[in-house]
Amino acid sequence: MRVARSGEPRGAATARMMSDPPSRVRAPFFKTVLEQIGETPRPVILELGAARQDLLALLHGSGCRLIVANLATAFADAGQANDSGGIAPITDVLRELCQPEPVDIVFAWDFLNFLDVQALASFMSNLAMLCRPRASVHALIVYAERLMPQRPGLLEPADAAHLRVHTGVELDRIAPRYSPDDLRRCTPAYDIDGVRLLGNGMQEYLFKLRR
Amino acid sequence: MFELSKKDPTEADTAQSPKPSRSYRTASAAPEGYAVIGRSIKIVGDLQGDEDLRIEGDIDGTIQLLNHSLTIGAEGRINADAYAKSVIIDGEINGDVHGSECVTIRSKARVVGNIVSSRVSLEEGAQFRGSIDMDPNSVKSALEKVQIQFAVKDGARDVSGASPIRSESTGRAETKTVAEKAAAKS
């Protein structure tokens, strides 16, 4: 991802595109989560994004149940809502999809960036109710960039240790650039098991449900 | 009801035998060896068969082809649970899909429901919301469950005295609708 220059007017920034070829970044916590899946008998995995062959291929043989929520549009809209009520349609969909088994692993990708603080707190709290104790949530937070795309879906798995970052995407939405402290405040039900700065300027998070 | 495009060793005998009372059309565009439900056909009810099937029409009910492949063509619209050996989805399905061998979701497909199969492949662009259960035990138990359900239904039909409806082209397929069952009973 290209880093926006400090003080750059928003109008100028919207014209910029990520034009480099898709880049791969090493994602250590993604690898950790996949290893965790391999060690869990019949893991239940929640994918907040679209179904992807790359992820299916990585999960092949795990005997898992993969729940595909495909929430890109809903997330993009929810972040623009000014209260946590904007998140209600999303949590309703998740509640319906995640029945009857509790979730062990959540792949949140870049979705959390599209929620404001209130919506993020509400979403993570609702998500906790759908998860098994000590469930893991893998997420990527825009950190170095000031801008991000209008919709989630910037990343996908490349292999068991790397993520592919899409380019050719217009950056026209202000990124909240949540810090670990911001996220800790929004997610009281979770421990932050680890944070790493990736090669593309995003931070990789591994949350663990506390209870 | 079906466009049958079979070309098997019995074809010559079929050609010499009296014309069946129900009309079947040969779909020239269809590949050999499977039945086709055309795009103008709408079926409400359960569908059970012993041959490969391609659906281009609308189905509202349960589809069971346990030892054969099911293809939901680009024009196919399914509001049903489907059980087959292999399932290829090119059209739309709103329901659960069980493939004992594999399930393939093509790029133009739209699927809302749960997929149970230990081998699932998904082309880029496919729209999917639901779950994919890759546990072999789930696949096995789901297929056993549907076999029992259909056996119970078959038992009930046998008790009522209605005989199964078979495809006249081969004498093997047993594919019927609720409307046909009702007609058979009356």
Side-chain angles (χ1 to χ4, degrees):
Chain A
M1 287 171 86
R2 203 174 294 171
V3 178
R5 287 183 291 277
S6 173
E8 187 175 47
R10 189 163 186 270
T14 55
R16 290 191 299 107
M17 305 276 285
M18 296 178 68
S19 55
D20 300 331
S23 59
R24 280 158 51 103
V25 290
R26 203 168 68 86
F29 293 135
F30 180 65
K31 189 180 175 193
T32 305
V33 168
L34 289 178
E35 286 167 356
Q36 189 185 332
I37 289 169
E39 291 160 7
T40 311
R42 192 182 151 68
V44 178
I45 302 163
L46 173 60
E47 158 69 91
L48 296 186
R52 288 174 271 222
Q53 180 57 35
D54 293 324
L55 185 60
L56 281 179
L58 289 171
L59 299 176
H60 183 70
S62 68
C64 72
R65 177 170 177 244
L66 173 68
I67 301 162
V68 181
N70 203 357
L71 292 173
T73 309
F75 258 81
D77 296 343
Q80 285 160 352
N82 289 326
D83 54 51
S84 56
I87 208 73
I90 294 176
T91 49
D92 287 349
V93 167
L94 291 184
R95 206 170 296 125
E96 192 182 327
L97 284 171
C98 293
Q99 296 297 331
E101 296 166 288
V103 173
D104 296 295
I105 310 277
V106 180
F107 286 117
W109 305 105
D110 57 343
F111 281 71
L112 302 186
N113 298 287
F114 293 82
L115 301 175
D116 61 29
V117 174
Q118 266 189 308
L120 177 59
S122 172
F123 174 75
M124 291 299 274
S125 162
N126 279 287
L127 186 64
M129 288 189 263
L130 303 173
C131 290
R132 211 183 290 277
R134 303 306 294 160
S136 299
V137 180
H138 180 260
L140 293 134
I141 299 294
V142 178
Y143 193 70
E145 287 273 11
R146 287 180 57 247
L147 297 170
M148 62 183 189
Q150 198 57 237
R151 286 186 176 195
L154 191 63
L155 301 113
E156 61 185 16
D159 57 40
H162 295 86
L163 303 179
R164 194 179 298 119
V165 185
H166 285 289
T167 55
V169 180
E170 196 171 341
L171 305 175
D172 56 357
R173 182 166 173 157
I174 305 269
R177 300 169 76 198
Y178 291 124
S179 68
D181 281 345
D182 294 334
L183 291 170
R184 219 168 263 126
R185 277 193 293 272
C186 291
T187 59
Y190 301 81
D191 291 321
I192 296 180
D193 227 33
V195 189
R196 278 182 193 248
L197 185 63
L198 302 185
N200 68 337
M202 293 183 98
Q203 283 190 322
E204 185 186 30
Y205 279 78
L206 188 58
F207 296 92
K208 283 266 186 192
L209 187 59
R210 261 199 204 127
R211 52 185 165 105
Chain B
M1 178 167 56
F2 301 116
E3 299 167 341
L4 292 174
S5 58
K6 261 192 187 309
K7 282 195 177 178
D8 61 17
T10 63
E11 189 179 69
D13 296 339
T14 308
Q16 288 166 8
S17 63
K19 210 171 180 180
S21 56
R22 293 157 76 209
S23 64
Y24 292 91
R25 290 187 291 116
T26 300
S28 56
E32 295 178 6
Y34 58 76
V36 177
I37 294 176
R39 66 181 68 176
S40 68
I41 307 297
K42 177 166 183 168
I43 296 176
V44 179
D46 298 342
L47 216 137
Q48 188 176 0
D50 197 15
E51 61 189 302
D52 296 347
L53 176 65
R54 180 182 182 89
I55 297 172
E56 295 288 355
D58 290 5
I59 309 287
D60 194 345
T62 303
I63 303 165
Q64 193 216 46
L65 303 166
L66 291 184
N67 299 311
H68 295 272
S69 74
L70 168 68
T71 302
I72 298 161
E75 303 289 323
R77 304 280 178 275
I78 312 296
N79 190 15
D81 294 341
Y83 300 81
K85 187 173 162 186
S86 66
V87 183
I88 298 170
I89 306 168
D90 235 341
E92 289 183 24
I93 180 159
N94 192 343
D96 297 346
V97 179
H98 300 72
S100 58
E101 210 164 75
C102 61
V103 174
T104 304
I105 305 173
R106 293 263 168 83
S107 60
K108 299 280 174 61
R110 293 166 65 89
V111 181
V112 178
N114 302 310
I115 293 173
V116 182
S117 181
S118 49
R119 290 186 62 179
V120 179
S121 69
L122 189 103
E123 291 182 5
E124 197 175 337
Q127 300 272 316
F128 174 74
R129 181 181 282 180
S131 75
I132 300 173
D133 196 332
M134 296 188 258
D135 181 4
N137 292 329
S138 299
V139 179
K140 198 177 160 193
S141 65
L143 293 173
E144 282 172 357
K145 197 174 160 189
V146 74
Q147 275 177 312
I148 292 166
Q149 282 173 355
F150 270 77
V152 168
K153 283 183 183 178
D154 283 351
R157 186 193 57 227
D158 289 345
V159 168
S160 75
S163 59
I165 298 166
R166 293 182 181 277
S167 157
E168 281 95 343
S169 68
T170 65
R172 288 192 295 112
E174 183 191 355
T175 314
K176 55 204 162 296
T177 67
V178 165
E180 284 175 321
K181 283 180 184 175
K185 281 180 185 174
S186 64

